[in-house]
Amino acid sequence: MDKLIFYVPTMNCASCVAKITKAMDAIVPSDSQSIETMVNLADKQVIVTGVDDADMVAKVLDRAGYPGKQVIDQQLAITQRQENEHKEYRKRLLQSIAALAVGIPMMLWGILGNEMMVNTSGQQLAWGAMGLITLLLMVFTGGHFYQGMYSALKAKSANMDTLIVLGTSTAWLYSMMVVLIPQWFPQETRHVYFEASVMILGLINLGHGMELRARGKTSEAVSKLIGLQPTSAVRVSDNGDETVDIKQINIGDRLRLKPGDRVALDGRVTEGDALINEAMLTGEPVPVNKNPGDSLSAGTVSENGSLIYQVIASHQETKLAKIIALVQQAQTSKLPIGRLTDQIAAYFVPAVVIIAIVASATWFFIGPAPQLSHALVVLTSVLIIACPCALGLATPMSIMVAVGRAAQIGVLLKNGEALQTASKVTTVILDKTGTITEGKPAVTDVVNLSADKCGEQLDDNKLLALFASAQQRSEHPLASAILAYASEKGLSLYEPEHFTNIKGQGISADIEGYAIVAGNEKLMTEKGIDGLDSVASLVNELAAKGKTPIYLALDGQLAAMVAVADPIKPDAKAAITAMLTQGLKVVLLSGDNKHTAKAVASQVGIIDVVAEVSPEQKQQLVLERKQAGEVVAMVGDGINDAPALAEANVGIAMGSGTEIAIESADITLLSERVMTLADTFILSKAAMVNIKQNLFGAFIYNTLGIPIAAGVLFPVTGWLLSPVVAGAAMALSSLTVVTNANRLRRVKLSDSQATLTK
């Protein structure tokens, strides 16, 4: 589906999001394809899927009062946005300083007991001059608010700017009328509020400036990911090496990677070798050795060595590009917990204007003297304090930081809802192979029985060489483990003669004058191999540890045993302990035999084990746990466990990092470490607590702020909320939400992850 991205700089609050969404929803698709709109207030982006007419979308945004600019190059767009936000930050700071430099002295003048009334011609001239200075400052420091209100009015709507402009303009107009025609006002109401107008604008601009600075930190993760993508690469051609722009590189081109360089595009090594640091993509701190035939991911770094690789994906189709797109998609997604905000926001500003008018009218008609002054204070304070900035930022800011933090540790969230569901998980079902274990069988023990069983003493290396030589033509995974072990030992192998593959049991062959049989116990029994009874206790001991014995017989006599096992990941036990400490129930699920599954479970601290199950039975287990009231996370490889992953409340693809896993699972863990899984649950719970804190604070702010501004405390305290205090509170509320969201960047995860995020 087509996807268009627009940057909308004037989008400031929850009501803006509601109006843009409503305008986009009104677009009628030209065919049967549906149109979806995601509005990211935190990043000020509108993403429209299912439309290919950018001009039409731009016109819809413009008519809604929120002109936007299409984003073509995400890397360039982020750079430009950062530059624009830095300029805007400096401008808001300057506007704030200018407004407060005039507003504070005026406010202090009144606080210190000096006259702020207009009762003489001298006072008229003095305050008239201050009124003109204030007007110039309002144009300089609040022009962007007036422009925002004008755009909203053209679209027959209202937004945050509307409230600010109405509040400050009302205070200024009232004060100027008092200066020009004081005789129209009762003597006790001839008070001027010029300082309120500029102080409010100064404080709001200061709040916006601080908010802009804090916002920059929320998008650091995506900025870093985009920064991983090189803009050029060294292409190897018939004319030698040439440095070319990445957009000029085609699939199939050969690129040279030198020490310290980043991989430009996804590729496959054709020549040379190098240690590649993949930490920024997977979170893995240990560099990976890459040889011919191995794959490379764009954005990873060569620590040493030089190699040539062939491009297998364009710059828009690399794994890095897909990860960036997934992170941005997740950051713009809606959470069920935040949908109430959207429903309220659509009616918020009109409701506030009505409340302000009703409250001020009440003070004017039935309030104590001076009624007119009180009515003005209430009108201005309600309009200013009711701005729904904090409400609109409460959820998206937390999602943005949490999703970005997750990406930094190699956790990809498909959408915000996965984040919320993960925070509620009560049971974690772990597939054994590739999740708890490495997923690659390896030799753990070599037992030399040659002197006792076949009458000839062979050294370990000779036996292992014969064992591995016999396996050269076998395609069994256990044979591959033996061959890999022999290769690590640097052994030279022999060419087998008369090789026979005995399906499901092993092989037979003639090697170096020996009649060799290698395989399982059933094969040994069928071939009449002597000496099996004497190793029965050893076999049972190995099986109890989850190890599979493979027998080697020479000339009819048992000569050796090799134990092969799927090694448990180094951090598996610590990760399981971390999840159990969080109060999660952990289940080990496996298609292997019960002995192997229980052996692995006992080593990592899992009690609940279900073994010898098919993919369909895995799915049924997930369903049964859900029906029992559990919120289930299923963790597998994203392909073989597809039915169970789909059935679970949240499906987590562990460690594969493949495009299939990224696209199919709710959450994908690029790292092979099990501890990343434990960290995912820690981060999801912290994110939901953070969102609830933000929403509670924002709702409380608006729920209590509006009545206080309307004067409900006046009968008890004799005190009315100053418009200046209301402006400061409004600016502070937004800044508080952004600052609180940024606390997620410092959530304590496992020690291994903490070192990567410092």
Side-chain angles (χ1 to χ4, degrees):
M1 293 178 73
D2 296 306
K3 183 168 71 173
L4 299 174
I5 303 173
F6 282 80
Y7 175 56
V8 184
T10 56
M11 180 167 55
N12 294 310
C13 63
S15 61
C16 304
V17 175
K19 290 178 178 65
I20 291 172
T21 303
K22 184 178 180 181
M24 289 296 152
D25 289 345
I27 298 176
V28 179
S30 56
D31 50 30
S32 59
Q33 199 173 38
S34 62
I35 297 174
E36 295 180 7
T37 303
M38 292 186 293
V39 184
N40 183 353
L41 175 61
D43 220 19
K44 297 194 174 185
Q45 284 192 348
V46 176
I47 301 174
V48 187
T49 306
V51 179
D52 57 6
D53 189 344
D55 291 336
M56 183 263 288
V57 173
K59 288 177 182 175
V60 171
L61 285 171
D62 197 52
R63 284 199 299 269
Y66 299 94
K69 182 179 180 182
Q70 187 183 4
V71 175
I72 304 295
D73 185 322
Q74 279 280 25
Q75 185 170 354
L76 180 62
I78 284 188
T79 302
Q80 290 177 339
R81 196 193 76 226
Q82 288 173 337
E83 290 175 355
N84 291 339
E85 286 185 350
H86 183 66
K87 289 178 183 176
E88 188 178 352
Y89 165 71
R90 292 175 64 87
K91 185 176 181 180
R92 296 291 171 263
L93 213 56
L94 179 62
Q95 289 171 327
S96 176
I97 291 170
L100 295 178
V102 173
I104 289 175
M106 275 198 290
M107 186 174 68
L108 289 174
W109 176 267
I111 290 174
L112 294 173
N114 295 294
E115 194 69 63
M116 296 194 75
M117 307 289 285
V118 178
N119 291 312
T120 66
S121 57
Q123 289 172 337
Q124 269 186 290
L125 288 173
W127 285 116
M130 291 307 301
L132 293 175
I133 293 172
T134 302
L135 179 61
L136 292 174
L137 276 172
M138 288 173 68
V139 172
F140 171 65
T141 63
H144 49 292
F145 297 125
Y146 288 84
Q147 289 173 356
M149 185 192 74
Y150 176 69
S151 297
L153 289 176
K154 279 204 310 181
K156 298 178 181 178
S157 66
N159 58 11
M160 181 195 78
D161 295 334
T162 307
L163 301 180
I164 295 171
V165 169
L166 285 176
T168 55
S169 297
T170 300
W172 186 87
L173 285 170
Y174 174 86
S175 301
M176 188 51 75
M177 287 178 67
V178 167
V179 169
L180 295 176
I181 43 176
Q183 64 274 16
W184 285 20
F185 297 86
Q187 191 168 359
E188 68 275 11
T189 64
R190 296 176 186 174
H191 193 287
V192 292
Y193 295 94
F194 291 127
E195 89 288 354
S197 297
V198 288
M199 283 286 289
I200 288 168
L201 292 176
L203 291 168
I204 292 174
N205 279 322
L206 180 62
H208 281 187
M210 296 299 102
E211 182 188 317
L212 279 168
R213 193 170 186 178
R215 272 178 193 251
K217 295 178 182 178
T218 64
S219 57
E220 270 185 7
V222 175
S223 300
K224 286 180 179 178
L225 283 173
I226 290 178
L228 294 177
Q229 178 66 69
T231 56
S232 63
V234 177
R235 182 164 58 191
V236 180
S237 66
D238 295 337
N239 299 323
D241 291 358
E242 55 179 351
T243 301
V244 295
D245 187 277
I246 196 170
K247 294 177 183 177
Q248 297 175 342
I249 298 172
N250 301 311
I251 295 174
D253 284 354
R254 296 166 70 238
L255 305 180
R256 187 182 301 281
L257 184 69
K258 300 175 183 177
D261 287 352
R262 286 194 183 278
V263 177
L265 297 165
D266 288 1
R268 187 159 283 110
V269 180
T270 58
E271 298 176 32
D273 63 85
L275 279 174
I276 303 296
N277 188 331
E278 300 180 328
M280 284 304 292
L281 274 181
T282 66
E284 294 286 358
V286 181
V288 181
N289 192 43
K290 298 289 185 177
N291 297 295
D294 291 338
S295 61
L296 296 174
S297 294
T300 55
V301 182
S302 172
E303 291 203 343
N304 64 10
S306 179
L307 55 79
I308 295 174
Y309 63 100
Q310 190 171 36
V311 176
I312 60 174
S314 67
H315 73 282
Q316 294 176 325
E317 295 297 323
T318 63
K319 185 191 292 186
L320 176 61
K322 291 178 180 179
I323 288 171
I324 292 169
L326 190 68
V327 172
Q328 290 176 322
Q329 174 186 317
Q331 288 182 331
T332 59
S333 59
K334 294 288 184 186
L335 264 69
I337 194 172
R339 286 175 188 151
L340 177 63
T341 303
D342 297 336
Q343 295 169 4
I344 294 172
Y347 307 98
F348 196 87
V349 174
V352 167
V353 172
I354 292 171
I355 291 170
I357 292 172
V358 170
S360 61
T362 302
W363 276 93
F364 181 75
F365 289 110
I366 63 173
Q371 291 97 329
L372 190 57
S373 290
H374 286 159
L376 173 68
V377 168
V378 167
L379 177 67
T380 307
S381 297
V382 170
L383 289 172
I384 296 300
I385 205 167
C387 289
C389 304
L391 201 59
L393 291 170
T395 301
M397 275 295 174
S398 296
I399 295 175
M400 193 170 186
V401 179
V403 170
R405 176 74 189 279
Q408 286 181 322
I409 63 172
V411 179
L412 300 181
L413 295 138
K414 193 168 188 179
N415 50 52
E417 195 156 348
L419 183 74
Q420 183 168 343
T421 306
S423 71
K424 299 177 181 177
V425 165
T426 58
T427 297
V428 182
I429 299 178
L430 302 169
D431 180 59
K432 179 181 74 67
T433 305
T435 301
I436 297 297
T437 65
E438 300 284 358
K440 299 173 184 176
V443 173
T444 59
D445 302 87
V446 178
V447 182
N448 189 337
L449 304 168
S450 61
D452 298 329
K453 308 301 178 189
C454 62
E456 179 185 358
Q457 178 69 54
L458 299 176
D459 66 34
D460 291 353
N461 285 343
K462 177 72 173 180
L463 271 173
L464 187 59
L466 290 171
F467 219 140
S469 298
Q471 306 292 343
Q472 285 183 97
R473 296 182 186 177
S474 174
E475 295 180 354
H476 197 281
L478 299 184
S480 300
I482 295 169
L483 286 166
Y485 188 72
S487 176
E488 288 176 15
K489 295 287 186 180
L491 301 179
S492 299
L493 305 186
Y494 312 107
E495 189 62 32
E497 300 175 12
H498 309 297
F499 177 87
T500 303
N501 182 41
I502 305 165
K503 190 174 182 181
Q505 296 183 26
I507 59 96
S508 65
D510 293 336
I511 302 174
E512 289 291 293
Y514 294 102
I516 290 179
V517 177
N520 59 21
E521 186 176 358
K522 184 179 181 182
L523 178 62
M524 298 296 117
T525 303
E526 288 183 1
K527 293 292 184 179
I529 303 301
D530 292 334
L532 292 176
D533 292 341
S534 61
V535 294
S537 61
L538 177 58
V539 169
N540 290 334
E541 185 182 328
L542 293 171
K545 295 178 181 178
K547 298 177 181 180
T548 302
I550 304 173
Y551 302 85
L552 174 70
L554 303 179
D555 298 331
Q557 298 289 322
L558 187 63
M561 272 199 318
V562 169
V564 177
D566 186 359
I568 294 172
K569 292 180 179 178
D571 69 334
K573 186 173 183 179
I576 300 302
T577 302
M579 285 187 276
L580 293 172
T581 302
Q582 293 178 47
L584 298 170
K585 300 174 185 175
V586 182
V587 181
L588 183 66
L589 194 61
S590 177
D592 281 354
N593 64 71
K594 292 180 181 178
H595 293 297
T596 302
K598 287 184 177 179
V600 170
S602 65
Q603 291 180 63
V604 297
I606 298 176
I607 298 174
D608 196 347
V609 182
V610 182
E612 298 177 1
V613 289
S614 66
E616 291 75 20
Q617 289 172 321
K618 290 181 181 181
Q619 181 185 23
Q620 183 61 33
L621 175 71
V622 172
L623 180 60
E624 289 172 1
R625 296 294 172 120
K626 285 171 62 180
Q627 289 174 341
E630 302 288 344
V631 179
V632 179
M634 173 66 200
V635 188
D637 63 10
I639 302 170
N640 297 335
D641 301 306
L645 286 167
E647 185 65 53
N649 297 100
V650 56
I652 303 176
M654 180 75 191
S656 61
T658 64
E659 281 76 4
I660 294 173
I662 291 172
E663 292 169 6
S664 63
D666 298 309
I667 299 174
T668 300
L669 310 183
L670 296 181
S671 172
E672 292 290 341
R673 283 171 294 162
V674 191
M675 190 59 80
T676 308
L677 177 63
D679 286 338
T680 300
F681 295 119
I682 292 172
L683 186 59
S684 66
K685 289 173 183 175
M688 295 314 300
V689 169
N690 193 272
I691 288 171
K692 288 174 182 177
Q693 289 170 344
N694 281 347
L695 284 173
F696 178 78
F699 272 117
I700 288 296
Y701 167 79
N702 285 120
T703 303
L704 297 180
I706 293 174
I708 290 172
V712 294
L713 296 180
F714 185 85
V716 179
T717 64
W719 174 75
L720 271 181
L721 184 68
S722 164
V724 175
V725 175
M730 189 274 276
L732 185 62
S733 66
S734 298
L735 183 59
T736 301
V737 163
V738 177
T739 303
N740 188 52
N742 271 305
R743 288 175 55 243
L744 287 171
R745 298 168 67 242
R746 299 186 296 277
V747 170
K748 183 172 176 55
L749 303 177
S750 64
D751 292 339
S752 59
Q753 298 287 17
T755 59
L756 294 172
T757 54
K758 285 180 181 176

